[in-house]
Amino acid sequence: MNTPAQKKITIVDTTLRDGMSSVSHQFTPQNVADIARGLDKAGVGTIEVAHGIGLGASSIQYGFAAATDPDYVRAAVDAVENADIAALYVPGIATLAELQKAIDAGIKTVRVAVHCTEADCGQQPVEWAKEQGLSVMTFLMMSHKLEPEPLAEQAAKLDSYGADVVYVVDSAGAMVPQHAGDRVAALRQAITADIGFHAHNNLGVGIANALTAAENGATFIDGSLRGLGASAGNAQTEVLAAAFERAGWDTGVDLFPLIDTAEHIVAPLMKEPQIVDETALILGYAGVYSTFFHPTKRAAKKFGVPARDILMELGRRGVIGGQEDMIIDVASELAGRTYETPALAGS
């Protein structure tokens, strides 16, 4: 656990990747440049850029972006003076060829994301990226689905492949502070790599989860300006910076440029406020991946069934990222029957 003399964290901003989900992946390269420039001015050291689902995800399945991933990366690289630009790599969606294009465009860091039970899927991209000289952060997505000890076992695999950072990732926004702290503490006992934490805010405790993660050994904390991100969004970068500073942590960032960028550049681009509405709340409550947010709303409207019922059933079935096709299956089944009181996920 961190001692007072070691109370230092690194804030990583994901407005230009996870936040893409809030704008249907329609940030332009100029938008990317403007936001990256503001983050760089504030002292954010790593800025994640790409389609909201990651490299190679611009498609009919995940939604077409306004520009290519290399275009976004180049726009960010050209706009910053000090920050490293990162991209997300999800095995099965991205390819090493697409990662190479991102390297050619200027990324210095790759974030390899795997489901929390499938760390071995990250071995090839992690080892390949290290050979290319990249800094490698790894994501254990949907970390709430594993108890701390088995999650730490998966983290140890990523550590053994050469990952510089292993993240506990609350993809569904299903954790409360104890869950976050227990998982980070278990990783701290099992690996030598740095530990990161990525919060979604579906239960309204994203900032609290991040603070608790840091108190238990996480040194990299993800945020997004104005909280932009899938479903209820992420822990809000400018709020993270203020909260950590008030709690006695050194973040290395300047709060006021963060606020200015959020208020004057990001806010005017938002289609709607990033809030915890019913669908976002049920996503967290049922433990369903945050990217199911918009497809579930569309399916609910199409089939005339409550989004709540769809999500509770998806949670009961234990769906994970990449199984978005199940939304239509469940909606069509529920269209023929109704639930007075949806059963809790896992019951």
Side-chain angles (χ1 to χ4, degrees), residues 265-291:
I265 299 176
V266 174
L269 299 174
M270 295 173 66
K271 294 184 174 183
E272 56 189 15
Q274 193 78 60
I275 62 171
V276 183
D277 67 3
E278 178 191 26
T279 304
L281 173 58
I282 298 300
L283 276 166
Y285 182 63
V288 176
Y289 200 68
S290 289
T291 56

Side-chain angles (χ1 to χ4, degrees), residues 88-106:
L88 185 74
Y89 183 104
V90 182
I93 296 177
T95 64
L96 293 181
E98 286 161 332
L99 179 54
Q100 182 62 60
K101 291 179 181 177
I103 294 172
D104 294 341

Side-chain angles (χ1 to χ4, degrees), residues 30-312:
Q30 185 61 57
N31 297 149
V32 168
D34 292 341
I35 295 168
R37 188 176 297 111
L39 289 165
D40 184 56
K41 182 179 179 181
V44 174
T46 302
I47 301 169
E48 190 182 41
V49 177
H51 185 284
I53 307 299
L55 294 173
S58 183
S59 63
I60 192 169
Q61 179 179 6
Y62 294 111
F64 288 103
T68 69
D69 293 323
D71 286 341
Y72 286 135
V73 170
R74 280 190 290 269
V77 168
D78 291 344
V80 303
E81 295 182 5
N82 299 305
D84 286 343
I85 302 304
L88 185 74
Y89 183 104
V90 182
I93 296 177
T95 64
L96 293 181
E98 286 161 332
L99 179 54
Q100 182 62 60
K101 291 179 181 177
I103 294 172
D104 294 341
I107 68 165
K108 301 297 184 184
T109 298
V110 65
R111 314 225 297 170
V112 177
V114 296
H115 185 64
C116 63
T117 61
E118 299 175 352
D120 55 331
C121 292
Q123 181 171 3
Q124 181 196 36
V126 169
E127 293 178 347
W128 187 87
K130 292 296 291 184
E131 290 172 0
Q132 312 313 308
L134 293 178
S135 174
V136 179
M137 299 177 175
T138 53
F139 272 29
L140 287 166
M141 297 187 291
M142 299 288 279
S143 289
H144 75 280
K145 283 187 168 292
L146 281 182
E147 292 300 314
E149 287 71 22
L151 186 70
E153 292 172 4
Q154 293 292 315
K157 292 183 180 181
L158 295 171
D159 189 22
S160 74
Y161 305 150
D164 298 293
V165 186
V166 181
Y167 269 78
V168 174
V169 180
D170 189 12
S171 313
M175 292 186 192
V176 295
Q178 181 178 345
H179 300 152
D182 288 350
R183 283 160 177 77
V184 170
L187 263 65
R188 185 68 289 150
Q189 296 298 314
I191 66 175
T192 59
D194 285 322
I195 299 170
F197 187 78
H198 179 101
H200 279 260
N201 200 43
N202 298 67
L203 298 180
V205 290
I207 300 293
N209 287 347
L211 286 163
T212 304
E215 291 289 353
N216 283 274
T219 53
F220 286 77
I221 302 292
D222 280 11
S224 180
L225 293 172
R226 276 296 179 111
L228 259 64
S231 69
N234 295 56
Q236 198 163 332
T237 302
E238 64 274 26
V239 179
L240 278 172
F244 270 97
E245 183 178 331
R246 291 289 290 167
W249 292 81
D250 175 11
T251 67
V253 302
D254 190 343
L255 176 60
F256 292 159
L258 281 180
I259 294 174
D260 291 343
T261 304
E263 195 74 13
H264 302 300
I265 299 176
V266 174
L269 299 174
M270 295 173 66
K271 294 184 174 183
E272 56 189 15
Q274 193 78 60
I275 62 171
V276 183
D277 67 3
E278 178 191 26
T279 304
L281 173 58
I282 298 300
L283 276 166
Y285 182 63
V288 176
Y289 200 68
S290 289
T291 56
F292 282 57
F293 181 73
H294 290 296
T296 298
K297 285 192 169 185
R298 290 193 293 267
K301 183 176 181 180
K302 178 178 179 180
F303 288 93
V305 296
R308 178 191 306 176
D309 291 6
I310 298 172
L311 290 171
M312 293 303 290

Side-chain angles (χ1 to χ4, degrees), residues 292 295-296 299-300 302-303 305 309-310 313-314 317 319 322-337 339:
F292 282 57
T296 298
K302 178 178 179 180
F303 288 93
V305 296
D309 291 6
I310 298 172
E313 180 62 23
L314 289 168
R317 297 186 186 190
V319 296
Q323 293 183 312
E324 286 85 354
D325 57 319
M326 291 291 292
I327 297 170
I328 297 300
D329 292 344
V330 168
S332 63
E333 290 178 21
L334 292 181
R337 66 181 193 269
Y339 288 148

